[in-house]
Amino acid sequence: RPPCSPRSLSTAPAVVYTRPFLYCMLTQTFDTSHILHSGGDELYAQLVDLNSSDAIVAISLGGPHFTRTTVQAVKYAHRNKVPTILISNDPSSPAVEFATIKLQAAQTKQHYSVIPALIVVETLLVELGQRKKSVAVKKLHRLEEVLADEQITM
């Protein structure tokens, strides 16, 4: 397994926008990206296969109502030495103490907005792309060739 295969786990309504965007961009640039199921035995069936060469991106944007599944998954990853990047809009999230890297999305007070979380996700994607540039460029070139061969335009 290649080093650092990012996996995504997320909760809350804002994730309706952030999780698919993160997954789409990761799969376009890396071969080993997956979305973890968000509950029960299916989630742990995937978590049990992870090790220290993997990474989980957990998105918890529901504070103060944190989804128990995300917190438990981050705790499990911590206990099993699986690096975890937590994107949260609340520094009091119970998952914070177990995450390897904590990324804070701003909270809006006047209205609900998914934009701060998307900005954090976009920043993470840029950083991963820079760190794994040769892998990302190779995958993007392969994808470009396939789309051209299949005459798929965007």
Side-chain angles (χ1 to χ4, degrees), residues 1-2 7 47-55 80-83:
R1 189 182 303 184
R7 316 255 178 150
L47 286 173
V48 75
D49 291 332
L50 303 181
N51 59 51
S52 61
S53 67
D54 296 303
N80 291 281
K81 299 180 179 23
V82 177

Side-chain angles (χ1 to χ4, degrees), residues 6 25-33 124-144:
M25 297 308 291
L26 284 174
T27 58
Q28 286 184 15
T29 51
F30 301 104
D31 293 331
T32 57
S33 301
L124 174 62
L125 290 166
V126 169
E127 182 64 24
L128 286 172
Q130 290 296 320
R131 289 183 183 211
K132 303 283 188 178
K133 189 173 185 174
S134 63
V135 173
V137 168
K138 185 178 175 183
K139 170 82 185 267
L140 288 170
H141 283 303
R142 283 195 342 254
L143 178 59
E144 184 178 43

Side-chain angles (χ1 to χ4, degrees), residues 60-66 86 88-94 96 104-105 107:
S60 180
L61 301 170
H65 308 288
F66 304 102
L86 175 67
S88 180
N89 61 355
D90 190 337
S92 66
S93 167
V96 166
Q104 181 75 34
Q107 265 185 332

Side-chain angles (χ1 to χ4, degrees), residues 63-79:
H65 308 288
F66 304 102
T67 301
R68 184 175 162 200
T69 304
T70 300
V71 174
Q72 287 177 324
V74 172
K75 281 183 185 179
Y76 177 89
H78 177 75
R79 282 193 314 267

